[in-house]
Structures are given as structure tokens and as C-alpha cells.
Amino acid sequence: MKNKLKPLTLLLAALFGGAVYGGAANAAFSADDAGTAAAQFLKTGPGARANGMGEAFTAAADDATAIYWNPAGLARLPGQEVSFTHALMFDDIRYEWASYARPTAIGTFAAGVQYLSYGDITTRDAFGTGTGSISPGDLCATLAYARNVLGLGAGVSFKYISSKIQHNASAAAVDAGAQYALSPEIDLGAALQNAGSGLKYGGKSDPLPLMVKAGAAYHPLENLALAADVVMPSDNGVYFAGGTEYTRKLGAGITAAVRGGYNTISKDLDGSGFALGLGLKYKSLDIDYAYTPLGSLGDTSRFSIGARF
């Protein structure tokens, strides 16, 4: 057992060390730090499957959305894969995601892009008179690479981040992650997200929302998965996420999935924190849906399509 844990222990040390180097050492991991980081859209992840499991996906990531959740998961892909996500959020906010991953003899290469649109907002002068409108939006383009090294899945992502309100601001960041199969039933994972330069508006630079994650996924049955994550963000308190996925073959190449999850990051919102999801797989095509209530803010629905070829 000690020999099995050694590779992941070394990787965890490297990730946490990188977090310290990147500035997490100055973070209190407290709710009092809420609002101290820019580019909050980077916390909005793709994939109805992952969101239906309460975002507990650090160790479970094994599809093209792993570019976001844990780039090490890309090393698990048996072939080429594409993924698309569309989310209907509160106040006319729309979220879009597209990614492509391709395994090769030297590792898996992938690219992804996410975009958050806030709709049209009327601008007003000091007297409340309308002066026009703006269309704010946030974009992140990502290139990723992953491979298995001595039984350890390791991956890295490079991000270009652009945010627009009335003027544009940009930043660069790196994600890194690892996954390790402790046994046929248990997977472990760790990830560092958004380590990079600050987002600069009007001469002032605000830090990105750095996050360190560690998780485990357990498969007590072939068609049942349980997952749990602990997340340490630089701009909030430590929180936890848990989720489950149950699949059942319906015949003729069709498999259905039911998912549920919960995370504590938004527990103060009435009815929030919980998530529900459904999935349907037909041969190499996946269609997924996730529903996430956000209390007084409203509800969020995510639709995803993934294909392998």
C-alpha cells in the first residue's frame, strides 16, 4: 500500500508546493476573502455529468471536459472525443463550452474554450438617463496535455483568459493535475487551477481564483460510482463536494444514467448546493442534463453532448 501511495503523495506535494509559490500561502481560505479574486467565471465548469454529481469530479474526470476539472483525466481517453455544453443560467446569463481531445502515442492533446455571456446591459449617466448598452462577456481558451507515467496520470493546461465589461482585460494561467488508481475500485486525484497572472482593469490588477482540489472516486459496483472532493479556494473558505452516478444498460447499445450531488460552497442560499442529473448513452454518443437550484438567484440547467470516434 505504501508503494502504491508514493507516486500520488509526491504529486500532491508538488501541487500544494506550486500553490504556495503561486500565492496560496497568503490566502486564509476563509469566507472573509470572498470577492477578492477576479474572473469568477473560471469557477463555472462544463459538462452536465460533472455538475449533476455536485462537481465532485477531480478523481472521476475521464472525458473531454477533464481539460477543466483535472487535465490528468485526459490520459484515460481511449480515442478522440468532443464535448459541448450549453447552460441556461439566471438573469439571462448563458454559458457555452466546446472541447476536443486526441490521444497519441506520446500522450493526449486537447483544446477547449468556454464563454460566459451576461446579455445586454443598459448604461446610464449620473442622472439615471440611458446612454447606450454594453454586452459584457468572459472567455477562456485552453490547450492541454496529459499522459500516463509509471501508472500515474499527469496533465497540464495552459489558459488564455479575456474579460470584457466596457474595456478588455486579459491574463494567463496554468492548471495541473494527477490521477492514480489505488485499486480497481478506488481512484485518487488532485488538481491545481488558475495559477497565473492577475486580470488587469484600469491599471489595477486583481488575482485569479486559485483553487487546490483533492478527491477520490469509489466504484463499489460496476454500474455505481461515488465521488468526493475537498476544495481550497484562495478567495473563500474550504468546501466539500460529493456525488454519485448510477448507470443501467437498457439494451441495443443504450445506457441510462441517474446522478445526484451536493456541495457546501453555496449552502447559505435557500435550496442550493444540491444537483440532479440524467444521462443517455447510445453507442459513442452521450447526452446529459443537469439541474442545479441556486436559491434566490434562480435555477441553472445544463445540456451536454459528447461523442467519441
Side-chain angles (χ1 to χ4, degrees), residues 8 11-12 15 58-60 70 177-180 187-191 213-217 229:
L8 189 71
L11 184 76
L12 282 168
L15 288 178
T58 303
N70 184 348
Q179 289 178 335
Y180 186 72
D187 293 316
L188 303 178
K213 300 181 177 182
D229 278 12

Side-chain angles (χ1 to χ4, degrees), residues 88-185:
L88 302 172
M89 308 180 78
F90 49 89
D91 292 336
D92 296 325
I93 297 175
R94 293 183 295 108
Y95 175 90
E96 313 292 345
W97 163 276
S99 60
Y100 167 72
R102 180 186 177 91
T104 70
I106 60 172
T108 301
F109 295 87
V113 61
Q114 64 186 103
Y115 180 73
L116 197 66
S117 170
Y118 301 93
D120 295 330
I121 299 176
T122 300
T123 58
R124 300 183 183 277
D125 60 21
F127 301 100
T129 303
T131 59
S133 66
I134 57 174
S135 300
D138 295 317
L139 178 143
C140 178
T142 307
L143 295 176
Y145 172 76
R147 68 174 299 169
N148 283 306
V149 181
L150 299 176
L152 181 73
V156 61
S157 296
F158 301 94
K159 297 178 174 180
Y160 169 76
I161 301 156
S162 176
S163 182
K164 177 185 177 183
I165 302 179
Q166 283 184 305
H167 304 286
N168 289 316
S170 62
V174 175
D175 292 357
Q179 289 178 335
Y180 186 72
L182 185 62
S183 72
E185 297 82 21

Side-chain angles (χ1 to χ4, degrees), residues 71-96:
L74 295 169
R76 295 182 176 182
L77 271 61
Q80 298 181 74
E81 186 170 327
V82 293
S83 175
F84 304 93
T85 298
H86 171 69
L88 302 172
M89 308 180 78
F90 49 89
D91 292 336
D92 296 325
I93 297 175
R94 293 183 295 108
Y95 175 90
E96 313 292 345

